[in-house]
mmCIF file of all heavy atoms in Angstrom:
data_model
loop_
_atom_site.group_PDB
_atom_site.id
_atom_site.type_symbol
_atom_site.label_atom_id
_atom_site.label_comp_id
_atom_site.label_asym_id
_atom_site.label_seq_id
_atom_site.Cartn_x
_atom_site.Cartn_y
_atom_site.Cartn_z
ATOM 1 N N ILE B 207 15.319 -9.922 -18.468
ATOM 2 C CA ILE B 207 14.196 -9.851 -19.417
ATOM 3 C C ILE B 207 14.383 -10.908 -20.511
ATOM 4 O O ILE B 207 13.434 -11.587 -20.920
ATOM 5 C CB ILE B 207 14.072 -8.421 -20.002
ATOM 6 C CG1 ILE B 207 13.720 -7.441 -18.876
ATOM 7 C CG2 ILE B 207 13.041 -8.367 -21.107
ATOM 8 C CD1 ILE B 207 13.670 -5.985 -19.276
ATOM 9 N N LYS B 208 15.620 -11.093 -20.941
ATOM 10 C CA LYS B 208 15.911 -12.099 -21.967
ATOM 11 C C LYS B 208 15.579 -13.495 -21.450
ATOM 12 O O LYS B 208 14.932 -14.293 -22.130
ATOM 13 C CB LYS B 208 17.404 -12.001 -22.345
ATOM 14 C CG LYS B 208 17.664 -12.290 -23.808
ATOM 15 C CD LYS B 208 19.120 -12.046 -24.173
ATOM 16 C CE LYS B 208 19.407 -10.599 -24.568
ATOM 17 N NZ LYS B 208 20.822 -10.339 -24.824
ATOM 18 N N LYS B 209 16.014 -13.770 -20.228
ATOM 19 C CA LYS B 209 15.720 -15.074 -19.623
ATOM 20 C C LYS B 209 14.210 -15.295 -19.498
ATOM 21 O O LYS B 209 13.697 -16.380 -19.757
ATOM 22 C CB LYS B 209 16.351 -15.160 -18.216
ATOM 23 C CG LYS B 209 17.791 -15.625 -18.202
ATOM 24 C CD LYS B 209 18.153 -16.249 -16.857
ATOM 25 C CE LYS B 209 18.574 -15.205 -15.848
ATOM 26 N NZ LYS B 209 18.967 -15.657 -14.531
ATOM 27 N N ALA B 210 13.518 -14.223 -19.100
ATOM 28 C CA ALA B 210 12.069 -14.320 -18.922
ATOM 29 C C ALA B 210 11.395 -14.631 -20.250
ATOM 30 O O ALA B 210 10.497 -15.485 -20.330
ATOM 31 C CB ALA B 210 11.531 -13.020 -18.330
ATOM 32 N N ALA B 211 11.829 -13.957 -21.318
ATOM 33 C CA ALA B 211 11.216 -14.173 -22.635
ATOM 34 C C ALA B 211 11.345 -15.633 -23.043
ATOM 35 O O ALA B 211 10.392 -16.246 -23.563
ATOM 36 C CB ALA B 211 11.871 -13.260 -23.668
ATOM 37 N N LYS B 212 12.515 -16.211 -22.809
ATOM 38 C CA LYS B 212 12.746 -17.623 -23.152
ATOM 39 C C LYS B 212 11.781 -18.517 -22.381
ATOM 40 O O LYS B 212 11.156 -19.422 -22.945
ATOM 41 C CB LYS B 212 14.198 -18.032 -22.802
ATOM 42 C CG LYS B 212 15.228 -17.497 -23.758
ATOM 43 C CD LYS B 212 15.241 -18.312 -25.053
ATOM 44 C CE LYS B 212 16.049 -17.556 -26.104
ATOM 45 N NZ LYS B 212 15.471 -17.643 -27.456
ATOM 46 N N LEU B 213 11.705 -18.283 -21.080
ATOM 47 C CA LEU B 213 10.835 -19.122 -20.245
ATOM 48 C C LEU B 213 9.374 -18.971 -20.670
ATOM 49 O O LEU B 213 8.641 -19.954 -20.794
ATOM 50 C CB LEU B 213 11.003 -18.741 -18.767
ATOM 51 C CG LEU B 213 10.109 -19.514 -17.794
ATOM 52 C CD1 LEU B 213 10.458 -20.994 -17.778
ATOM 53 C CD2 LEU B 213 10.220 -18.942 -16.382
ATOM 54 N N ILE B 214 8.974 -17.728 -20.925
ATOM 55 C CA ILE B 214 7.577 -17.460 -21.299
ATOM 56 C C ILE B 214 7.222 -18.206 -22.587
ATOM 57 O O ILE B 214 6.155 -18.812 -22.704
ATOM 58 C CB ILE B 214 7.349 -15.930 -21.457
ATOM 59 C CG1 ILE B 214 7.401 -15.258 -20.072
ATOM 60 C CG2 ILE B 214 6.035 -15.634 -22.149
ATOM 61 C CD1 ILE B 214 7.521 -13.741 -20.094
ATOM 62 N N LEU B 215 8.154 -18.202 -23.542
ATOM 63 C CA LEU B 215 7.878 -18.871 -24.825
ATOM 64 C C LEU B 215 7.910 -20.388 -24.713
ATOM 65 O O LEU B 215 7.366 -21.084 -25.562
ATOM 66 C CB LEU B 215 8.876 -18.385 -25.889
ATOM 67 C CG LEU B 215 8.569 -16.989 -26.435
ATOM 68 C CD1 LEU B 215 9.736 -16.462 -27.254
ATOM 69 C CD2 LEU B 215 7.289 -16.989 -27.265
ATOM 70 N N SER B 216 8.529 -20.896 -23.664
ATOM 71 C CA SER B 216 8.626 -22.350 -23.535
ATOM 72 C C SER B 216 7.414 -22.955 -22.824
ATOM 73 O O SER B 216 7.295 -24.162 -22.684
ATOM 74 C CB SER B 216 9.892 -22.718 -22.746
ATOM 75 O OG SER B 216 9.688 -22.415 -21.375
ATOM 76 N N ALA B 217 6.490 -22.085 -22.373
ATOM 77 C CA ALA B 217 5.384 -22.562 -21.531
ATOM 78 C C ALA B 217 4.415 -23.458 -22.290
ATOM 79 O O ALA B 217 4.141 -23.243 -23.465
ATOM 80 C CB ALA B 217 4.640 -21.361 -20.964
ATOM 81 N N LYS B 218 3.923 -24.475 -21.586
ATOM 82 C CA LYS B 218 2.852 -25.318 -22.142
ATOM 83 C C LYS B 218 1.506 -24.926 -21.514
ATOM 84 O O LYS B 218 0.456 -25.080 -22.118
ATOM 85 C CB LYS B 218 3.109 -26.802 -21.824
ATOM 86 C CG LYS B 218 4.490 -27.291 -22.197
ATOM 87 C CD LYS B 218 4.577 -27.640 -23.660
ATOM 88 C CE LYS B 218 5.954 -28.188 -23.983
ATOM 89 N NZ LYS B 218 6.479 -27.618 -25.242
ATOM 90 N N LYS B 219 1.576 -24.540 -20.248
ATOM 91 C CA LYS B 219 0.340 -24.163 -19.531
ATOM 92 C C LYS B 219 0.578 -22.820 -18.837
ATOM 93 O O LYS B 219 0.707 -22.741 -17.623
ATOM 94 C CB LYS B 219 0.005 -25.216 -18.481
ATOM 95 C CG LYS B 219 -0.295 -26.590 -19.036
ATOM 96 C CD LYS B 219 -0.478 -27.557 -17.877
ATOM 97 C CE LYS B 219 -0.874 -28.929 -18.385
ATOM 98 N NZ LYS B 219 -1.064 -29.852 -17.246
ATOM 99 N N PRO B 220 0.631 -21.746 -19.622
ATOM 100 C CA PRO B 220 0.991 -20.441 -19.040
ATOM 101 C C PRO B 220 -0.192 -19.727 -18.399
ATOM 102 O O PRO B 220 -1.346 -19.977 -18.751
ATOM 103 C CB PRO B 220 1.440 -19.664 -20.270
ATOM 104 C CG PRO B 220 0.641 -20.258 -21.390
ATOM 105 C CD PRO B 220 0.381 -21.688 -21.054
ATOM 106 N N MET B 221 0.134 -18.845 -17.463
ATOM 107 C CA MET B 221 -0.883 -17.956 -16.879
ATOM 108 C C MET B 221 -0.267 -16.569 -16.744
ATOM 109 O O MET B 221 0.857 -16.434 -16.282
ATOM 110 C CB MET B 221 -1.264 -18.430 -15.479
ATOM 111 C CG MET B 221 -2.271 -19.550 -15.458
ATOM 112 S SD MET B 221 -3.932 -18.998 -15.889
ATOM 113 C CE MET B 221 -4.412 -18.213 -14.373
ATOM 114 N N ILE B 222 -1.044 -15.569 -17.151
ATOM 115 C CA ILE B 222 -0.635 -14.184 -16.899
ATOM 116 C C ILE B 222 -1.473 -13.681 -15.729
ATOM 117 O O ILE B 222 -2.705 -13.714 -15.775
ATOM 118 C CB ILE B 222 -0.858 -13.306 -18.147
ATOM 119 C CG1 ILE B 222 0.025 -13.801 -19.295
ATOM 120 C CG2 ILE B 222 -0.569 -11.831 -17.827
ATOM 121 C CD1 ILE B 222 -0.270 -13.157 -20.635
ATOM 122 N N TYR B 223 -0.803 -13.290 -14.671
ATOM 123 C CA TYR B 223 -1.468 -12.850 -13.435
ATOM 124 C C TYR B 223 -1.043 -11.409 -13.211
ATOM 125 O O TYR B 223 0.108 -11.140 -12.940
ATOM 126 C CB TYR B 223 -1.046 -13.827 -12.328
ATOM 127 C CG TYR B 223 -0.832 -13.323 -10.930
ATOM 128 C CD1 TYR B 223 -1.815 -12.625 -10.233
ATOM 129 C CD2 TYR B 223 0.352 -13.608 -10.255
ATOM 130 C CE1 TYR B 223 -1.609 -12.214 -8.923
ATOM 131 C CE2 TYR B 223 0.574 -13.201 -8.947
ATOM 132 C CZ TYR B 223 -0.411 -12.494 -8.286
ATOM 133 O OH TYR B 223 -0.193 -12.093 -6.996
ATOM 134 N N SER B 224 -1.976 -10.476 -13.406
ATOM 135 C CA SER B 224 -1.563 -9.067 -13.309
ATOM 136 C C SER B 224 -2.347 -8.338 -12.231
ATOM 137 O O SER B 224 -3.503 -8.677 -11.942
ATOM 138 C CB SER B 224 -1.699 -8.375 -14.657
ATOM 139 O OG SER B 224 -2.993 -7.859 -14.832
ATOM 140 N N GLY B 225 -1.716 -7.340 -11.653
ATOM 141 C CA GLY B 225 -2.308 -6.649 -10.515
ATOM 142 C C GLY B 225 -2.403 -5.150 -10.679
ATOM 143 O O GLY B 225 -2.260 -4.614 -11.788
ATOM 144 N N GLY B 226 -2.601 -4.484 -9.565
ATOM 145 C CA GLY B 226 -2.796 -3.041 -9.563
ATOM 146 C C GLY B 226 -1.617 -2.264 -10.110
ATOM 147 O O GLY B 226 -1.781 -1.138 -10.577
ATOM 148 N N GLY B 227 -0.433 -2.877 -10.081
ATOM 149 C CA GLY B 227 0.757 -2.203 -10.600
ATOM 150 C C GLY B 227 0.644 -1.850 -12.073
ATOM 151 O O GLY B 227 1.231 -0.857 -12.526
ATOM 152 N N VAL B 228 -0.118 -2.652 -12.819
ATOM 153 C CA VAL B 228 -0.275 -2.372 -14.253
ATOM 154 C C VAL B 228 -1.092 -1.092 -14.443
ATOM 155 O O VAL B 228 -0.814 -0.280 -15.334
ATOM 156 C CB VAL B 228 -0.937 -3.573 -14.966
ATOM 157 C CG1 VAL B 228 -1.228 -3.243 -16.423
ATOM 158 C CG2 VAL B 228 -0.053 -4.800 -14.859
ATOM 159 N N ILE B 229 -2.078 -0.905 -13.565
ATOM 160 C CA ILE B 229 -2.898 0.305 -13.649
ATOM 161 C C ILE B 229 -2.089 1.518 -13.175
ATOM 162 O O ILE B 229 -2.027 2.545 -13.844
ATOM 163 C CB ILE B 229 -4.190 0.132 -12.818
ATOM 164 C CG1 ILE B 229 -5.043 -0.967 -13.471
ATOM 165 C CG2 ILE B 229 -4.957 1.444 -12.710
ATOM 166 C CD1 ILE B 229 -6.228 -1.424 -12.676
ATOM 167 N N LEU B 230 -1.421 1.358 -12.032
ATOM 168 C CA LEU B 230 -0.613 2.460 -11.504
ATOM 169 C C LEU B 230 0.495 2.854 -12.472
ATOM 170 O O LEU B 230 0.862 4.018 -12.575
ATOM 171 C CB LEU B 230 0.014 2.057 -10.160
ATOM 172 C CG LEU B 230 -0.969 1.788 -9.024
ATOM 173 C CD1 LEU B 230 -0.276 1.068 -7.881
ATOM 174 C CD2 LEU B 230 -1.581 3.086 -8.538
ATOM 175 N N GLY B 231 1.047 1.860 -13.173
ATOM 176 C CA GLY B 231 2.134 2.111 -14.110
ATOM 177 C C GLY B 231 1.653 2.471 -15.512
ATOM 178 O O GLY B 231 2.462 2.522 -16.454
ATOM 179 N N GLU B 232 0.359 2.708 -15.673
ATOM 180 C CA GLU B 232 -0.239 3.094 -16.970
ATOM 181 C C GLU B 232 0.182 2.113 -18.065
ATOM 182 O O GLU B 232 0.515 2.514 -19.185
ATOM 183 C CB GLU B 232 0.192 4.522 -17.371
ATOM 184 C CG GLU B 232 -0.130 5.602 -16.357
ATOM 185 C CD GLU B 232 -1.620 5.949 -16.280
ATOM 186 O OE1 GLU B 232 -2.414 5.341 -17.033
ATOM 187 O OE2 GLU B 232 -1.979 6.802 -15.450
ATOM 188 N N ALA B 233 0.160 0.824 -17.748
ATOM 189 C CA ALA B 233 0.694 -0.163 -18.690
ATOM 190 C C ALA B 233 -0.394 -1.095 -19.214
ATOM 191 O O ALA B 233 -0.114 -2.198 -19.665
ATOM 192 C CB ALA B 233 1.800 -0.967 -18.009
ATOM 193 N N SER B 234 -1.628 -0.625 -19.166
ATOM 194 C CA SER B 234 -2.734 -1.470 -19.604
ATOM 195 C C SER B 234 -2.579 -1.878 -21.084
ATOM 196 O O SER B 234 -2.743 -3.048 -21.440
ATOM 197 C CB SER B 234 -4.039 -0.700 -19.395
ATOM 198 O OG SER B 234 -5.105 -1.459 -19.804
ATOM 199 N N GLN B 235 -2.249 -0.900 -21.935
ATOM 200 C CA GLN B 235 -2.108 -1.209 -23.367
ATOM 201 C C GLN B 235 -0.970 -2.206 -23.601
ATOM 202 O O GLN B 235 -1.105 -3.137 -24.404
ATOM 203 C CB GLN B 235 -1.866 0.084 -24.169
ATOM 204 C CG GLN B 235 -1.967 -0.105 -25.667
ATOM 205 C CD GLN B 235 -3.306 -0.720 -26.099
ATOM 206 O OE1 GLN B 235 -4.377 -0.249 -25.729
ATOM 207 N NE2 GLN B 235 -3.248 -1.836 -26.843
ATOM 208 N N GLU B 236 0.115 -2.039 -22.861
ATOM 209 C CA GLU B 236 1.249 -2.963 -23.003
ATOM 210 C C GLU B 236 0.842 -4.366 -22.552
ATOM 211 O O GLU B 236 1.232 -5.363 -23.158
ATOM 212 C CB GLU B 236 2.454 -2.473 -22.189
ATOM 213 C CG GLU B 236 3.176 -1.271 -22.792
ATOM 214 C CD GLU B 236 2.434 0.049 -22.634
ATOM 215 O OE1 GLU B 236 1.422 0.094 -21.899
ATOM 216 O OE2 GLU B 236 2.862 1.042 -23.257
ATOM 217 N N LEU B 237 0.047 -4.439 -21.480
ATOM 218 C CA LEU B 237 -0.428 -5.751 -21.019
ATOM 219 C C LEU B 237 -1.296 -6.415 -22.087
ATOM 220 O O LEU B 237 -1.172 -7.620 -22.358
ATOM 221 C CB LEU B 237 -1.225 -5.600 -19.707
ATOM 222 C CG LEU B 237 -1.888 -6.890 -19.204
ATOM 223 C CD1 LEU B 237 -0.851 -7.919 -18.769
ATOM 224 C CD2 LEU B 237 -2.849 -6.594 -18.049
ATOM 225 N N ILE B 238 -2.158 -5.619 -22.698
ATOM 226 C CA ILE B 238 -3.037 -6.155 -23.740
ATOM 227 C C ILE B 238 -2.189 -6.650 -24.923
ATOM 228 O O ILE B 238 -2.364 -7.778 -25.408
ATOM 229 C CB ILE B 238 -4.060 -5.080 -24.204
ATOM 230 C CG1 ILE B 238 -5.023 -4.758 -23.048
ATOM 231 C CG2 ILE B 238 -4.824 -5.548 -25.429
ATOM 232 C CD1 ILE B 238 -5.882 -3.524 -23.269
ATOM 233 N N ASP B 239 -1.231 -5.833 -25.355
ATOM 234 C CA ASP B 239 -0.378 -6.217 -26.494
ATOM 235 C C ASP B 239 0.407 -7.486 -26.178
ATOM 236 O O ASP B 239 0.496 -8.397 -27.010
ATOM 237 C CB ASP B 239 0.613 -5.091 -26.827
ATOM 238 C CG ASP B 239 -0.100 -3.840 -27.322
ATOM 239 O OD1 ASP B 239 -1.306 -3.936 -27.633
ATOM 240 O OD2 ASP B 239 0.543 -2.769 -27.373
ATOM 241 N N PHE B 240 0.961 -7.534 -24.993
ATOM 242 C CA PHE B 240 1.759 -8.670 -24.548
ATOM 243 C C PHE B 240 0.901 -9.943 -24.543
ATOM 244 O O PHE B 240 1.290 -10.989 -25.082
ATOM 245 C CB PHE B 240 2.288 -8.358 -23.141
ATOM 246 C CG PHE B 240 3.015 -9.469 -22.449
ATOM 247 C CD1 PHE B 240 4.316 -9.805 -22.808
ATOM 248 C CD2 PHE B 240 2.412 -10.176 -21.407
ATOM 249 C CE1 PHE B 240 5.004 -10.820 -22.147
ATOM 250 C CE2 PHE B 240 3.088 -11.186 -20.744
ATOM 251 C CZ PHE B 240 4.386 -11.513 -21.118
ATOM 252 N N SER B 241 -0.299 -9.830 -23.986
ATOM 253 C CA SER B 241 -1.177 -11.000 -23.868
ATOM 254 C C SER B 241 -1.677 -11.472 -25.229
ATOM 255 O O SER B 241 -1.745 -12.668 -25.500
ATOM 256 C CB SER B 241 -2.377 -10.674 -22.971
ATOM 257 O OG SER B 241 -1.933 -10.132 -21.751
ATOM 258 N N ARG B 242 -2.019 -10.527 -26.089
ATOM 259 C CA ARG B 242 -2.522 -10.883 -27.432
ATOM 260 C C ARG B 242 -1.416 -11.554 -28.239
ATOM 261 O O ARG B 242 -1.648 -12.509 -28.973
ATOM 262 C CB ARG B 242 -3.006 -9.627 -28.156
ATOM 263 C CG ARG B 242 -4.197 -8.981 -27.496
ATOM 264 C CD ARG B 242 -5.468 -9.100 -28.357
ATOM 265 N NE ARG B 242 -6.644 -8.735 -27.575
ATOM 266 C CZ ARG B 242 -7.112 -7.486 -27.428
ATOM 267 N NH1 ARG B 242 -6.500 -6.493 -28.057
ATOM 268 N NH2 ARG B 242 -8.177 -7.242 -26.710
ATOM 269 N N LEU B 243 -0.206 -11.030 -28.090
ATOM 270 C CA LEU B 243 0.938 -11.580 -28.820
ATOM 271 C C LEU B 243 1.133 -13.053 -28.472
ATOM 272 O O LEU B 243 1.459 -13.874 -29.332
ATOM 273 C CB LEU B 243 2.181 -10.764 -28.440
ATOM 274 C CG LEU B 243 3.509 -11.099 -29.098
ATOM 275 C CD1 LEU B 243 3.425 -10.841 -30.600
ATOM 276 C CD2 LEU B 243 4.623 -10.227 -28.497
ATOM 277 N N LEU B 244 0.907 -13.387 -27.229
ATOM 278 C CA LEU B 244 1.152 -14.752 -26.767
ATOM 279 C C LEU B 244 -0.078 -15.642 -26.833
ATOM 280 O O LEU B 244 0.034 -16.865 -26.982
ATOM 281 C CB LEU B 244 1.665 -14.725 -25.322
ATOM 282 C CG LEU B 244 3.036 -14.092 -25.116
ATOM 283 C CD1 LEU B 244 3.236 -13.697 -23.668
ATOM 284 C CD2 LEU B 244 4.131 -15.061 -25.571
ATOM 285 N N GLY B 245 -1.255 -15.039 -26.667
ATOM 286 C CA GLY B 245 -2.492 -15.824 -26.645
ATOM 287 C C GLY B 245 -2.696 -16.590 -25.350
ATOM 288 O O GLY B 245 -3.436 -17.577 -25.301
ATOM 289 N N TYR B 246 -2.059 -16.167 -24.289
ATOM 290 C CA TYR B 246 -2.153 -16.868 -23.010
ATOM 291 C C TYR B 246 -3.357 -16.368 -22.197
ATOM 292 O O TYR B 246 -3.766 -15.219 -22.332
ATOM 293 C CB TYR B 246 -0.884 -16.624 -22.171
ATOM 294 C CG TYR B 246 0.391 -17.206 -22.727
ATOM 295 C CD1 TYR B 246 1.606 -16.942 -22.097
ATOM 296 C CD2 TYR B 246 0.400 -18.019 -23.862
ATOM 297 C CE1 TYR B 246 2.802 -17.470 -22.574
ATOM 298 C CE2 TYR B 246 1.597 -18.540 -24.345
ATOM 299 C CZ TYR B 246 2.796 -18.262 -23.703
ATOM 300 O OH TYR B 246 3.967 -18.779 -24.174
ATOM 301 N N PRO B 247 -3.882 -17.226 -21.323
ATOM 302 C CA PRO B 247 -4.969 -16.770 -20.446
ATOM 303 C C PRO B 247 -4.499 -15.700 -19.458
ATOM 304 O O PRO B 247 -3.372 -15.749 -18.976
ATOM 305 C CB PRO B 247 -5.397 -18.028 -19.684
ATOM 306 C CG PRO B 247 -4.529 -19.135 -20.130
ATOM 307 C CD PRO B 247 -3.555 -18.649 -21.136
ATOM 308 N N VAL B 248 -5.413 -14.738 -19.174
ATOM 309 C CA VAL B 248 -5.083 -13.631 -18.272
ATOM 310 C C VAL B 248 -6.056 -13.622 -17.093
ATOM 311 O O VAL B 248 -7.269 -13.692 -17.284
ATOM 312 C CB VAL B 248 -5.208 -12.265 -19.000
ATOM 313 C CG1 VAL B 248 -4.828 -11.124 -18.065
ATOM 314 C CG2 VAL B 248 -4.359 -12.240 -20.257
ATOM 315 N N THR B 249 -5.507 -13.551 -15.904
ATOM 316 C CA THR B 249 -6.338 -13.311 -14.728
ATOM 317 C C THR B 249 -5.846 -12.032 -14.060
ATOM 318 O O THR B 249 -4.674 -11.680 -14.179
ATOM 319 C CB THR B 249 -6.292 -14.504 -13.745
ATOM 320 O OG1 THR B 249 -7.111 -14.198 -12.612
ATOM 321 C CG2 THR B 249 -4.888 -14.811 -13.241
ATOM 322 N N ASN B 250 -6.779 -11.317 -13.420
ATOM 323 C CA ASN B 250 -6.423 -10.076 -12.715
ATOM 324 C C ASN B 250 -6.696 -10.228 -11.229
ATOM 325 O O ASN B 250 -7.618 -10.938 -10.837
ATOM 326 C CB ASN B 250 -7.282 -8.894 -13.214
ATOM 327 C CG ASN B 250 -6.861 -8.348 -14.558
ATOM 328 O OD1 ASN B 250 -7.607 -7.609 -15.182
ATOM 329 N ND2 ASN B 250 -5.674 -8.701 -15.030
ATOM 330 N N THR B 251 -5.934 -9.528 -10.448
ATOM 331 C CA THR B 251 -6.245 -9.430 -9.026
ATOM 332 C C THR B 251 -7.392 -8.436 -8.852
ATOM 333 O O THR B 251 -7.757 -7.728 -9.791
ATOM 334 C CB THR B 251 -5.046 -8.901 -8.219
ATOM 335 O OG1 THR B 251 -4.823 -7.536 -8.589
ATOM 336 C CG2 THR B 251 -3.793 -9.712 -8.477
ATOM 337 N N LEU B 252 -7.910 -8.370 -7.635
ATOM 338 C CA LEU B 252 -8.953 -7.388 -7.325
ATOM 339 C C LEU B 252 -8.502 -5.975 -7.714
ATOM 340 O O LEU B 252 -9.266 -5.204 -8.275
ATOM 341 C CB LEU B 252 -9.262 -7.442 -5.818
ATOM 342 C CG LEU B 252 -10.296 -6.466 -5.286
ATOM 343 C CD1 LEU B 252 -11.686 -6.838 -5.782
ATOM 344 C CD2 LEU B 252 -10.281 -6.428 -3.768
ATOM 345 N N MET B 253 -7.238 -5.659 -7.417
ATOM 346 C CA MET B 253 -6.726 -4.325 -7.710
ATOM 347 C C MET B 253 -6.408 -4.134 -9.188
ATOM 348 O O MET B 253 -6.235 -3.011 -9.646
ATOM 349 C CB MET B 253 -5.456 -4.042 -6.892
ATOM 350 C CG MET B 253 -5.665 -3.964 -5.404
ATOM 351 S SD MET B 253 -7.003 -2.878 -4.940
ATOM 352 C CE MET B 253 -6.402 -1.316 -5.565
ATOM 353 N N GLY B 254 -6.293 -5.225 -9.903
ATOM 354 C CA GLY B 254 -5.871 -5.133 -11.301
ATOM 355 C C GLY B 254 -7.021 -5.134 -12.293
ATOM 356 O O GLY B 254 -6.807 -5.048 -13.511
ATOM 357 N N LEU B 255 -8.265 -5.249 -11.800
ATOM 358 C CA LEU B 255 -9.407 -5.343 -12.709
ATOM 359 C C LEU B 255 -9.498 -4.117 -13.605
ATOM 360 O O LEU B 255 -9.357 -2.991 -13.127
ATOM 361 C CB LEU B 255 -10.713 -5.512 -11.924
ATOM 362 C CG LEU B 255 -10.865 -6.822 -11.146
ATOM 363 C CD1 LEU B 255 -12.134 -6.784 -10.288
ATOM 364 C CD2 LEU B 255 -10.892 -8.024 -12.075
ATOM 365 N N GLY B 256 -9.726 -4.364 -14.890
ATOM 366 C CA GLY B 256 -9.823 -3.276 -15.848
ATOM 367 C C GLY B 256 -8.532 -3.060 -16.621
ATOM 368 O O GLY B 256 -8.545 -2.499 -17.713
ATOM 369 N N ALA B 257 -7.421 -3.548 -16.088
ATOM 370 C CA ALA B 257 -6.150 -3.400 -16.814
ATOM 371 C C ALA B 257 -6.190 -4.238 -18.083
ATOM 372 O O ALA B 257 -5.595 -3.888 -19.101
ATOM 373 C CB ALA B 257 -4.985 -3.830 -15.939
#
Side-chain angles (χ1 to χ4, degrees):
Chain B
I207 296 175
K208 215 174 273 176
K209 274 204 275 181
K212 285 283 167 219
L213 178 65
I214 290 166
L215 284 168
S216 74
K218 309 278 183 224
K219 297 175 176 181
M221 278 287 283
I222 297 171
Y223 144 55
S224 87
V228 174
I229 294 170
L230 296 166
E232 303 287 0
S234 180
Q235 191 55 51
E236 286 75 9
L237 174 67
I238 294 168
D239 295 347
F240 174 76
S241 308
R242 295 248 168 87
L243 182 64
L244 294 161
Y246 294 175
V248 181
T249 179
N250 284 165
T251 68
L252 178 70
M253 294 310 298
L255 294 174

